[in-house]
Amino acid sequence: MSYSHLNNTQDLVEDVMTNVRQAVVSTMGPNGKLSAITVGTSVKVTKDGVTVAKSLKFPNPFHEAVNRIILEPAIKTDTECGDGTTTTILLTAELYSLYSQFPNYRERKFIDKLCNKTIDELSRMSIAVNNDSPELYSLALTSSNGDEKLAKVITDIYHAAGDKYPEIELKEGLGGDDQIVRSNGLAVNLIYSNPSFSKNGNGTASEFTHFIPIVIDDNVRNVDAQVLIQMLSALDKRVEGEVCFLLIARSFDNSINSVILQVNNQVKRQAFVCAQTNFGGSVGTLLMQDISIMLNAGMVKVFSDVMSVDLNTCDDKLTIGSSRSVFEPTSDAVRGRISAQVASIEEELNSYERGERFSMRARFNEKRIRDLKGELITVFVGGETQSEIKERIDRFEDVSKAVKSALINGVLPGVGTALITAGVFAMGDLSDEISSDPVYGQIANAFVEVIFSQYILLMGPMMNLLGTKEEKDAIMAAVIDMDEPRPFVVTNMRDNTVGTPRELGIFDTAYASITALRGGMQTAKILASLDSVLIGDKLAAVHIQS
């Protein structure tokens, strides 16, 4: 077994980084280049950064291992925000160069401090928007690469939703036009635990309008058939008409599904329907509570306690499908319960300190609110060819996620200007350290390259004059004073108009910008410190890149 040498491994990392950066970042902006991707026997043409990123594969396993490290934060940014993939890759590459240039622990801690200060400034600078804000359409237009029709479809959905949070489902259409189908219900993370529980027994969507829901906050692995018979006996005495029990758990073992189906066969009716959420961890309990409140269901920790809950009949329509369910509340009592739960979660959100605004806990509670206030919208995406439809579905998905993220966490001026502004403020906060330590001064000079990278890439020929530090410092001074940002003039590549990002309507999602910098920083540190790449195979042998 041979050792991997640092220089050889870093050569490998730099090679992969260069190739990934070129492939993904080349798609950025209105002037971005197209990529052709083969999928089986078909070819997909796209300039969607995340689609290109997900398609990247290296035949050499050592290169592919590094590739996966590079792509992980970019795909995470897209999954959460629908935006920021190319920015994440760009910043990862720039910060990798910075961390490689300054390898000592003390130096890297100062780079961390610069990045974290910049993230704090981006959070402070975020501009709140609502469903009616013109910035929301501008954000959608930027995210869609200037597709006015697509941006209008998405923002019109949100505008019509009022105070609701639409859950947008995308499907392939049959013609050239986009078709929108609205549901009156809330999307619920609920599926059959076994297809046989559907009304026709094959797992297709079935409607339930008269049922008794019971929520079991557990993975059900043990059920006594006698308890089920007792439940039916209690039901016959207390509830009129033929009503089924809807048992909702985190999951049901296959053996438990079999037992319950046998009881249904024994009583010759669909007495029990089992649905599962697949939730996990402590956060799953909160989501189970939300479903319990939504359906007015009794909730227990273990199945053996089901006889202790009240049998509350739900007469609102619940449609359980193969991938999701839809609940349609009709009565004031149901809507009142849901509104009270939303208010409780919002009260908790409002109690968070500023630094918690972009935390995982905040995002989780924001999702709970969206689920409780949502409505399901299906968009049948049109196009002239199958390839166009598939490509437009990708962009629809990106724009809908970007708009949702903007409504929650706000927007920032685009074309990389927010990153420059935040970075300059961060360096201003650390000016004493920068001026007193020559190495920190060198790091700050190099950090200018990082914060200008997106702006230079998008502005292209306009930035040819930015060759020296003095010229960059001059532009920075024109952009910022340390109390308030000054107007930052850019060119809109769609029509060559000139103005500030606000004037031109060019915005990025705040959370995408923050996630891109945070993910790029963490990944760059890992890559700059990478000393070896080890590849194991099925025989448990390990191959070391040397």
Side-chain angles (χ1 to χ4, degrees), residues 129-137 155-156 158-163 407:
V129 295
N130 57 41
N131 289 4
D132 297 322
S133 299
E135 291 89 350
L136 196 65
Y137 173 77
T155 51
D156 281 354
Y158 278 90
H159 178 74
D163 65 345
L407 287 169

Side-chain angles (χ1 to χ4, degrees), residues 174-213:
L174 297 177
D177 296 327
D178 303 318
Q179 303 292 327
I180 299 172
V181 178
R182 298 179 179 274
S183 165
N184 294 320
L186 309 178
V188 185
N189 290 315
L190 202 63
I191 60 173
Y192 291 113
S193 62
N194 186 294
S196 298
F197 286 113
S198 62
K199 289 189 174 180
N200 57 10
N202 64 1
T204 55
S206 301
E207 294 180 1
F208 298 88
T209 56
H210 193 48
F211 58 94
I212 295 179

Side-chain angles (χ1 to χ4, degrees), residues 300-544:
V300 295
K301 289 296 294 180
V302 292
F303 181 84
S304 58
D305 291 339
V306 292
M307 290 294 293
S308 66
V309 301
D310 293 332
L311 303 184
N312 298 319
T313 304
C314 181
D315 294 320
D316 295 286
K317 184 167 74 173
L318 176 67
T319 303
I320 303 178
S322 58
S323 60
R324 76 172 82 215
S325 297
V326 178
F327 178 64
E328 300 182 29
T330 55
S331 67
D332 291 339
V334 176
R335 286 191 285 265
R337 285 198 312 270
I338 294 172
S339 296
Q341 181 70 349
V342 168
S344 174
I345 301 170
E346 287 177 337
E347 183 178 356
E348 180 181 343
L349 273 174
N350 292 333
S351 71
Y352 291 169
E353 298 294 332
R354 182 175 188 84
E356 296 179 292
R357 178 179 174 188
F358 294 97
S359 68
M360 292 299 295
R361 182 171 63 153
R363 290 190 61 77
F364 168 70
N365 281 322
E366 287 159 354
K367 182 185 184 307
R368 292 174 67 197
I369 292 173
R370 291 199 304 272
D371 290 344
L372 289 167
K373 293 178 66 175
E375 61 176 345
L376 182 61
I377 309 291
T378 302
V379 179
F380 291 91
V381 179
E384 297 304 320
T385 65
Q386 198 69 17
S387 294
E388 183 187 4
I389 290 174
K390 290 181 182 296
E391 192 272 335
R392 292 190 76 236
I393 285 178
D394 287 340
R395 283 193 287 133
F396 260 104
E397 184 177 8
D398 285 348
V399 174
S400 61
K401 285 190 290 188
V403 168
K404 183 185 293 185
S405 176
L407 287 169
I408 297 169
N409 294 311
V411 298
L412 289 166
V415 201
T417 60
L419 181 60
I420 297 174
T421 303
V424 172
F425 273 133
M427 287 187 285
D429 289 344
L430 300 173
S431 58
D432 290 343
E433 295 178 63
I434 292 171
S435 60
S436 62
D437 189 312
V439 175
Y440 287 171
Q442 294 173 22
I443 292 172
N445 289 340
F447 189 66
V448 172
E449 302 285 344
V450 176
I451 62 175
F452 266 92
S453 57
Q454 185 183 8
Y455 179 71
I456 292 173
L457 184 74
L458 290 170
M459 289 294 94
M462 285 183 60
M463 292 295 96
N464 285 339
L465 297 177
L466 286 178
T468 67
K469 178 185 179 303
E470 290 74 17
E471 288 160 347
K472 290 186 178 66
D473 286 345
I475 287 187
M476 287 164 58
V479 172
I480 295 289
D481 61 37
M482 297 320 294
D483 296 320
E484 189 67 29
R486 293 174 182 168
F488 198 118
V489 176
V490 299
T491 299
N492 188 335
M493 295 300 181
R494 294 193 294 267
D495 55 15
N496 285 329
T497 53
V498 177
T500 67
R502 279 180 179 254
E503 292 169 345
L504 300 178
I506 305 174
F507 295 95
D508 295 325
T509 57
Y511 189 73
S513 299
I514 290 167
T515 305
L517 181 54
R518 183 183 289 133
M521 174 183 72
Q522 298 298 338
T523 303
K525 282 197 295 184
I526 291 170
L527 293 170
S529 302
L530 204 61
D531 183 70
S532 61
V533 180
L534 290 78
I535 304 295
D537 59 27
K538 293 181 180 179
L539 298 178
V542 174
H543 305 282
I544 301 180

